[in-house]
Amino acid sequence: MEIIYERPESLKDVRTHYCAGCGHGVVHRILAEIVDELGIREKTVVIAPVGCAVLAYDYFNFDVCEAPHGRTPAVATGMKRVRPSNVIISYQGDGDLAAIGMAEIIHAANRGERITVVFVNNGLYGMTGGQMAPTTLIGQRTATTPMGRDFRECGQPIKVCELLSQFEGVVYAARCAITGPGNIIKGKKMLKKALSIQLADLGFSIVEFLSACPTHWKLTPREAVQYIEEKMVPCFPTGVIKDTIK
Amino acid sequence: MARVEINIELCKGCGLCIEACPKGCLKISSGFNRMGEHPAEWGSDEMCTGCGLCAVVCPDCAISIYK
Ligand SMILES: Cc1ncc(C[n+]2csc(CCOP(=O)(O)OP(=O)(O)O)c2C)c(N)n1
Ligand code: SF4
Ligand code: SF4
């Protein structure tokens, strides 16, 4: 018998600290597979965020730098400008990107930095105990919205890909749902395209992953996947939102 | 016929592979791993086609497939 699937070289052979069924693990794996497929392991640098993915440097088998509190796009900008031949990936959660670091992401996108953003949207702050994020759904109960998010008090969920798509420097923005195999494979294609765009030096690219946080949603991993399909996708439509390089 | 290997120390027993498998080859084991979790268990090389869908959904990259 021949091996037809095994752990990608870009993923270290260690157990992650993520909870059972956490979407971060799937996003790590598809990113690692793509880095292997494109043969860019020696020149890839991920900038890890604050949040549950803060320890990503323990898991990826390529260079990882840590920049807390939404500043990964700023660090990524510096790295890409100094070392343009490297592949620079800003890996961010929704609290990190859309709350704490909203200024950094908007300006990096507007400048059209030739970086790729991997945006993991699980609708709340996972690491700190499940508080509301800008992406929390209307009516969703979190540690800081115990009665459910109310528009008049907390505004609407921010659609990051649509928001950033208005900037000319953003050449690719796409959203996928980490649910069943079909959607995961679609998401992988999107991320591969985003990285190919960076390799061709064409502009800023972002892929948003609707991703499970079973722990703070207080659901089983299976129910969490259903929750993405039934509750998150209607608010955050999946598909390619902007693609100027068809 | 194909064979699936599960690294039980990486697996946390989330059960998503069981959902994904079209052939019903996977289940939660009655045994434990070192972390005290019940990992997934594969048990049917007659049914398994090696389609790889279990590996596609696994958040812990605990699955290798042989064909
Ligand atoms: C100055 C400061 N403010 C806030 C925090 C707490 N903090 C840690 S992670 C995080 C956000 C995590 O949320 P998200 O980006 O959604 O990532 P997730 O954990 O859900 O993947 C915050 C606010 C901190 N550590 N330091
Ligand atoms: S708290 Fe949520 S986001 Fe963090 S590791 Fe657990 S499931 Fe994943
Ligand atoms: S390879 Fe396909 S048929 Fe075999 S266990 Fe995995 S999902 Fe089931």
Side-chain angles (χ1 to χ4, degrees):
Chain A
M1 273 189 174
E2 243 177 79
I3 192 144
I4 57 164
Y5 182 80
E6 63 182 330
R7 210 175 165 79
E9 193 187 2
S10 291
L11 215 50
K12 289 181 192 161
D13 207 3
V14 293
R15 188 186 152 95
T16 69
H17 72 288
Y18 299 119
C19 310
C22 174
H24 276 296
V26 177
V27 178
H28 281 30
R29 197 196 68 235
I30 59 182
L31 174 56
E33 286 173 3
I34 295 167
V35 167
D36 281 7
E37 287 162 20
L38 295 174
I40 53 175
R41 199 174 69 85
E42 292 297 334
K43 58 177 181 176
T44 295
V45 187
V46 159
I47 329 285
V50 78
C52 286
V54 71
L55 299 177
Y57 44 77
D58 284 339
Y59 307 139
F60 287 122
N61 190 16
F62 43 68
D63 288 333
V64 180
C65 163
E66 220 304 306
H69 304 129
R71 274 60 181 179
T72 59
V75 173
T77 297
M79 281 199 178
K80 189 69 187 179
R81 288 185 179 203
V82 173
R83 302 182 62 95
S85 58
N86 282 73
V87 177
I88 309 292
I89 300 164
S90 175
Y91 187 111
Q92 305 185 257
D94 47 339
D96 178 272
L97 181 145
I100 326 175
M102 191 55 129
E104 277 71 20
I105 193 71
I106 292 236
H107 290 290
N110 188 39
R111 293 190 306 268
E113 299 296 342
R114 264 85 74 211
I115 59 172
T116 302
V117 178
V118 173
F119 174 37
V120 179
N121 176 0
N122 56 20
L124 42 69
Y125 287 30
M127 184 198 220
T128 48
Q131 293 83 1
M132 191 195 93
T135 45
T136 298
L137 302 177
I138 294 294
Q140 185 180 341
R141 289 170 195 263
T142 69
T144 45
T145 54
M147 312 301 283
R149 180 178 184 164
D150 173 46
F151 167 54
R152 303 252 307 175
E153 195 175 88
C154 308
Q156 285 287 343
I158 296 180
K159 298 180 172 73
V160 169
C161 283
E162 286 82 347
L163 180 71
L164 299 184
S165 285
Q166 68 185 289
F167 300 120
E168 238 174 80
V170 176
V171 299
Y172 186 75
R175 184 184 289 121
C176 68
I178 298 292
T179 52
N183 286 333
I184 294 172
I185 290 166
K186 271 189 209 156
K188 185 176 167 185
K189 280 191 187 141
M190 288 170 175
L191 187 53
K192 198 167 187 177
K193 170 136 192 193
L195 286 171
S196 311
I197 283 170
Q198 179 176 167
L199 284 166
D201 201 31
L202 298 174
F204 182 99
S205 52
I206 177 168
V207 181
E208 174 174 343
F209 297 91
L210 304 177
S211 165
C213 175
T215 301
H216 294 302
W217 295 354
K218 301 183 173 63
L219 299 173
T220 64
R222 219 168 109 182
E223 290 164 347
V225 163
Q226 271 167 3
Y227 176 89
I228 296 176
E229 276 163 4
E230 287 163 19
K231 299 281 165 59
M232 288 183 90
V233 172
C235 175
F236 299 107
T238 52
V240 177
I241 289 142
K242 183 175 184 185
D243 186 358
T244 57
I245 334 248
K246 286 221 174 92
Chain B
M1 292 305 101
R3 181 161 58 88
V4 163
E5 265 178 23
I6 297 170
N7 181 331
I8 63 162
E9 298 309 332
L10 297 181
C11 176
K12 297 165 186 160
C14 71
L16 294 177
C17 56
I18 300 172
E19 275 301 283
C21 178
K23 299 285 181 188
C25 300
L26 294 147
K27 62 176 172 61
I28 290 289
S29 162
S30 56
F32 294 97
N33 64 15
R34 254 186 271 166
M35 295 297 284
E37 298 147 333
H38 292 290
E41 187 176 81
W42 173 88
S44 156
D45 53 349
E46 263 148 53
M47 302 287 284
C48 180
T49 57
C51 67
L53 298 181
C54 49
V56 171
V57 298
C58 179
D60 290 289
C61 209
I63 295 178
S64 321
I65 302 173
Y66 298 81
K67 207 171 177 176

